[in-house]
Amino acid sequence: MHSEQVTAEPPSKVDDVPSPASGADRAPLDFDVIIAGCGPTGAMLAAELRLHEVRVLVLEKETEPASFVRIVGLHIRSLELMAMRGLLDRILPHGRQRPAGGFFAAIPKPVPKGLDSAYAYLLGIPQPVIERLLEEHAIELGAQVRRGCAVAGFEQDDESVTVELADGQRLRSRYLVGCDGARSTVRKLLGVGFPGEPSRNDTLMGEMKVGVPQEEIAAKVTEISGTHHRFWLRPFGEGIYSVLVPAARVSDRAEPPTLEDFKQQLRTIAGTDFGVHSPRWLSRFGDATRLAERYRVGRVLLAGDAAHIHPPIGGQGLNLGVQDAFNLGWKLAAQIRGWAPETLLDTYQAERQPVAEDVLDNTRAQAELLSTEPGPQAVRRLLTELMDFDEVNRHLIEKITAIGIRYDFGEGPDLLGRRLRDIDVKQGNLYGLLHRGRGLLLDRTERLTVGGWSDRVDHLADPTAALDVPCVLLRPDGHVAWIGDDQQDLDDHLSRWFGKPAG
Ligand SMILES: Cc1cc2nc3c(=O)[nH]c(=O)nc-3n(C[C@H](O)[C@H](O)[C@H](O)COP(=O)(O)OP(=O)(O)OC[C@H]3O[C@@H](n4cnc5c(N)ncnc54)[C@H](O)[C@@H]3O)c2cc1C
């Protein structure tokens, strides 16, 4: 990329930003934003805020990063986000590229034709690796991460939030974001309702060694997986297997499972415990489905599992949380830097809550399709037939991979509100121009300008860009905020998303 062809102002220093009026008796602000929780959502949010030089502290209650390997991997939209921030090359060597198909309710189907992305694959990568890479990225950008520090309480007023740590220490910031997972302390202290369905079925998952030959396991797994969809033994390398099996009912669900629990359940379902031994880690998870009633109360916000939980079918939770952070980061940064239009921060909930609602619904549907009851099995057979129509298959995969999302930006062409795929531009590729988390006017007419917004929005004049509209205005999250060729109309939309022009 030839950066001189993109007009951009350097970001101003955080010290330039006026602090909110603070009374003489108030403690000074320690940070602009405190984030509770350094899971994937918290780490991504911290990095996004740092792109705008917001002073960020991430408080993480655990002293060490988690070793519990959960996820299937990163789906297309998350891979696009990584590409937009120049992270994909760092992440790719740690994962394995797999086909972007066949994961809706584990119905085996080929990758649908015409998936509209330059990154149309699933990247299989363990969650601890993603968390580590995102945390490192946030720290490199200047975020502070303090481990072994649990958020225990907070108070907020018109100007700030005072956060209390478990050890009694108090820190003051302008905003607090709860990225503290499904049992979020921040959400509970806010008193935000978390309605939905409690867990009905628990599942055991872990990594362990086995005592029988691989061929024997493969034959048994093939036999059983025809009727039991919550069951697998997958080789992980070095004689280790990932084991998943329905859990028996227990009186205390918070109690960690034992190897004996796995053996018993394997014997019940497969007639053998495969001689499992030497576990690396063991876990139990449920299928509760819940959505926070609000994502924001004053200066406190929620993101990731703190705002929504659902069964891990289709592998969407981490992806959803990272995408929440991507949506919120630039808006919260704009608020802190003082250029946010009045309602910008509220668009976070308006845009992301319906996306989470949709994910909750598709996991509810998938859970039904995984049931071994005759009714759901009949629906599964019917859907399996329907998915032979490529459009049906594509619709479902676009849903799970989150490339089908269209935010409601009002009336306009279908592209308005959608994310723009990575396309060729004269400097290389579009996503390569979005690393700094700024807006971008991609202008094929070569006669428009971003004028007084050039400190927040880059301008790329490129008549050869692979677009079938004259110009698009992209938000920092890559969603299309405007399409057209009229300067006045563009200025109105720049004001709507990027506030008042400088000077
Ligand atoms: C078995 C299983 C398989 C899964 N598979 C997939 C998959 O394939 N794909 C996918 O996308 N998702 C998957 N998920 C879901 C995914 O793991 C979660 O959605 C994801 O971890 C959410 O990230 P988060 O950062 O929002 O929350 P978390 O990962 O829960 O992180 C929250 C962090 O906050 C910390 N914390 C908690 N309380 C406090 C406090 N008071 N103060 C400070 N810190 C605190 C925690 O220690 C933790 O580090 C799976 C989940 C399970 C259980």
Side-chain angles (χ1 to χ4, degrees):
M1 172 182 128
H2 309 290
S3 54
E4 72 277 9
Q5 287 174 287
V6 177
T7 56
E9 297 273 315
S12 51
K13 288 276 180 292
V14 72
D15 300 340
D16 299 340
V17 181
S19 278
S22 51
D25 55 341
R26 306 294 305 271
L29 285 169
D30 301 295
F31 294 92
D32 293 319
V33 178
I34 292 179
I35 297 173
C38 195
T41 306
M44 187 79 209
L45 180 61
E48 284 298 291
L49 290 166
R50 281 305 303 156
L51 287 177
H52 305 276
E53 304 198 9
V54 168
R55 295 171 305 160
V56 188
L57 172 68
V58 187
L59 296 169
E60 167 54 55
K61 80 171 166 74
E62 300 296 336
T63 47
E64 295 293 327
S67 59
F68 173 21
V69 177
R70 287 180 273 192
I71 71 157
V72 171
L74 293 177
H75 284 305
I76 299 173
R77 185 57 184 152
S78 300
L79 295 169
E80 290 184 343
L81 305 192
M82 301 303 156
M84 276 191 259
R85 295 298 182 257
L87 276 173
L88 193 57
D89 288 345
R90 191 189 279 199
I91 289 176
L92 279 179
H94 298 275
R96 205 154 56 95
Q97 293 186 31
R98 292 175 25 204
F103 36 70
F104 189 84
I107 294 175
K109 290 288 170 193
V111 180
K113 293 190 192 85
L115 278 179
D116 186 28
S117 174
Y119 310 93
Y121 51 87
L122 169 76
L123 186 73
I125 182 169
Q127 178 155 347
V129 177
I130 300 174
E131 288 184 5
R132 176 172 57 78
L133 295 173
L134 289 177
E135 185 178 336
E136 279 170 14
H137 173 60
I139 291 171
E140 276 166 22
L141 288 172
Q144 284 191 42
V145 178
R146 287 190 202 160
R147 289 196 163 270
C149 293
V151 170
F154 62 82
E155 291 158 8
Q156 61 168 318
D157 57 30
D158 290 349
E159 295 170 1
S160 63
V161 188
T162 304
V163 176
E164 187 169 337
L165 275 54
D167 66 3
Q169 196 188 151
R170 290 163 79 84
L171 294 166
R172 205 164 150 251
S173 63
R174 297 169 75 173
Y175 287 88
L176 167 67
V177 188
C179 300
D180 49 346
R183 297 192 173 92
S184 171
T185 304
V186 174
R187 186 191 64 237
K188 288 177 193 156
L189 290 170
L190 271 180
V192 166
F194 203 36
E197 301 95 66
S199 186
R200 290 179 303 171
N201 298 300
D202 283 353
T203 304
L204 300 177
M205 187 169 158
E207 280 177 25
M208 57 203 78
K209 291 195 168 163
V210 293
V212 296
Q214 189 168 342
E215 308 75 53
E216 206 175 303
I217 297 174
K220 202 77 184 166
V221 169
T222 309
E223 177 195 322
I224 294 166
S225 54
T227 45
H228 283 87
H229 303 300
R230 278 192 300 139
F231 173 84
W232 75 51
L233 271 89
R234 291 181 182 155
F236 225 66
E238 297 169 8
I240 303 275
Y241 272 67
S242 163
V243 177
L244 182 115
V245 69
R249 292 210 174 279
V250 287
S251 51
D252 182 2
R253 296 184 55 242
E255 190 69 18
T258 62
L259 186 64
E260 191 48 39
D261 294 334
F262 278 75
K263 286 183 169 181
Q264 270 179 21
Q265 289 306 99
L266 286 169
R267 284 197 290 266
T268 306
I269 288 187
T272 165
D273 62 18
F274 302 97
V276 292
H277 63 97
S278 313
R280 271 203 210 166
W281 54 263
L282 305 172
S283 70
R284 176 190 288 111
F285 62 90
D287 60 356
T289 303
R290 297 182 181 279
L291 180 63
E293 279 172 345
R294 299 176 65 179
Y295 279 24
R296 177 184 175 198
V297 180
R299 295 181 165 270
V300 184
L301 297 109
L302 299 170
D305 274 17
H308 37 69
I309 53 165
H310 54 82
I313 316 168
Q316 300 168 88
L318 178 145
N319 287 270
L320 186 61
V322 163
Q323 291 160 29
D324 282 350
F326 211 72
N327 184 286
L328 175 59
W330 70 277
K331 295 174 183 174
L332 190 52
Q335 188 77 18
I336 284 159
R337 303 206 60 86
W339 57 258
E342 210 178 307
T343 55
L344 185 68
L345 199 50
D346 289 330
T347 66
Y348 165 59
Q349 172 175 324
E351 292 170 8
R352 295 305 298 172
Q353 204 182 30
V355 170
E357 248 162 20
D358 195 56
V359 171
L360 264 53
D361 260 0
N362 85 48
T363 51
R364 283 185 182 105
Q366 291 186 77
E368 289 300 316
L369 293 165
L370 291 172
S371 157
T372 50
E373 295 294 316
Q377 284 286 305
V379 178
R380 185 182 176 91
R381 283 193 291 277
L382 193 64
L383 187 66
T384 306
E385 278 173 36
L386 286 174
M387 285 174 74
D388 284 337
F389 293 99
D390 198 59
E391 241 177 276
V392 176
N393 189 16
R394 194 171 61 241
H395 178 75
L396 295 173
I397 295 301
E398 283 178 355
K399 208 179 244 313
I400 295 211
T401 60
I403 57 171
I405 291 170
R406 182 175 189 232
Y407 296 140
D408 183 5
F409 293 172
E411 299 240 320
D414 184 60
L415 185 61
L416 185 69
R418 293 189 184 277
R419 102 294 178 223
L420 190 61
R421 60 165 283 151
D422 198 4
I423 57 171
D424 291 337
V425 291
K426 67 181 177 191
Q427 288 87 347
N429 66 320
L430 175 69
Y431 286 7
L433 306 179
L434 298 174
H435 290 185
R436 293 169 64 198
R438 296 157 52 86
L440 177 74
L441 177 69
L442 182 51
D443 173 10
R444 293 181 61 220
T445 70
E446 296 184 288
R447 55 178 175 72
L448 297 180
T449 158
V450 292
W453 290 272
S454 63
D455 58 342
R456 286 150 258 177
V457 181
D458 294 331
H459 179 200
L460 174 66
D462 179 1
T464 66
L467 265 186
D468 52 11
V469 291
C471 299
V472 290
L473 175 64
L474 292 181
R475 305 192 317 185
D477 62 355
H479 278 260
V480 176
W482 174 79
I483 301 167
D485 59 4
D486 177 72
Q487 184 67 52
Q488 184 54 54
D489 196 29
L490 169 62
D491 288 353
D492 292 346
H493 283 81
L494 282 163
S495 295
R496 173 179 171 188
W497 293 107
F498 296 98
K500 294 195 179 84

